[in-house]
Amino acid sequence: MEHALIISKLTKRFSIQERSLIALQDIDLSVVEGEFITIIGPSGCGKSTLLRCIAGFEPPTTGFVQVEGQEVDSPGIDRMMVFQGLDQLFPWLSALENIAFALRVTRTARGAAKSRALARDYINLVGLRGYEDFYPHQLSGGMKQRVAIARALSVQPKILLMDEPFGSLDAFTRKALQEELTSIWQKTRVTVLFVTHNIEEAIVQGDRIIAMSPQPGRILSVIDNPILRPRTPDSPEFPEIWEALHRLLGIQKGPAAGVLRPPQRAFEEIETPHLVAT
Ligand SMILES: Nc1ncnc2c1ncn2[C@@H]1O[C@H](COP(=O)(O)OP(=O)(O)OP(=O)(O)O)[C@@H](O)[C@H]1O
Ligand SMILES: [Mg+2]
């Protein structure tokens, strides 16, 4: 099978005043075309930075990212990103126009009629038939995320990069969208890298689950998910993976189990050893 993505020895440093911060260290990862990968790790471990390096928004400090054999050196429509925020749509465009606009500027479809027709197909794909003419402020949070997913997929990327796309949604909407995303992925077979803070979501969605260390982010483990789709927490193998991820990520089990909390320290990390003087 072909590799959609190869990440080799990727390290990312950021310079802040006279110091440099190591966000990612020695990341090696190969992703086969059509895989659904979930990435989980504590806040600040570099998950968004990793997606940004793949998207071409950030250059790696050392190492490289290759998509279908080509080294990534800039953003491109072969790698589309969906974010957590519910404000990623153009507020002055309807749901349909948000997608049609992306199709026009990327020249995926030529002409207004063709882009609107294709946009309609993607609206249908994400289950929003009837909401074409609604503006973002007239849509629920879950609907906005559906439009954002439809817009990203409409330009037919090779890789869909999802940075906690359901993180701002309530538990019911999150579950519905997880199922929806699985069904969309089964139809399109796009390669997905999906960042989450939620252990259940990582297990339910990921064919492979990447667990990352606290900053500087390294890959602690890559778990091959043995649970067959459709996955639920009732699957017999679920508790074992759940336990393994808790152990790897060093999470205490309790009322908030399953959700990784952000660290309580914001500036302390400036004193930690991964910050080195440049
Ligand atoms: N442009 C930047 N300049 C300087 N430092 C940055 C920049 N972007 C990210 N960082 C730092 O890199 C580290 C990783 O940040 P990143 O946003 O990738 O973490 P994350 O795992 O996505 O966290 P969260 O789960 O909270 O979203 C953090 O210490 C952050 O301060
Ligand atoms: Mg992030």
Side-chain angles (χ1 to χ4, degrees), residues 51-89:
L51 292 197
R52 291 171 61 76
C53 287
I54 300 168
F57 300 147
E58 294 284 356
T61 308
T62 58
F64 62 83
V65 176
Q66 265 184 1
V67 171
E68 293 191 350
Q70 294 288 314
E71 189 160 339
V72 167
D73 58 5
S74 57
I77 59 166
D78 55 340
R79 289 150 282 135
M80 292 299 287
M81 210 149 162
V82 177
F83 303 91
Q84 173 176 6
L86 301 179
D87 54 0
Q88 52 195 308
L89 302 175

Side-chain angles (χ1 to χ4, degrees), residues 14 16 21 23 42-49 58 164 197 215 269:
F14 290 107
I16 307 121
L21 177 153
S43 183
C45 77
K47 303 179 296 297
S48 297
T49 304
E58 294 284 356
E164 301 190 53
H197 270 116
Q215 190 193 355
E269 58 193 34

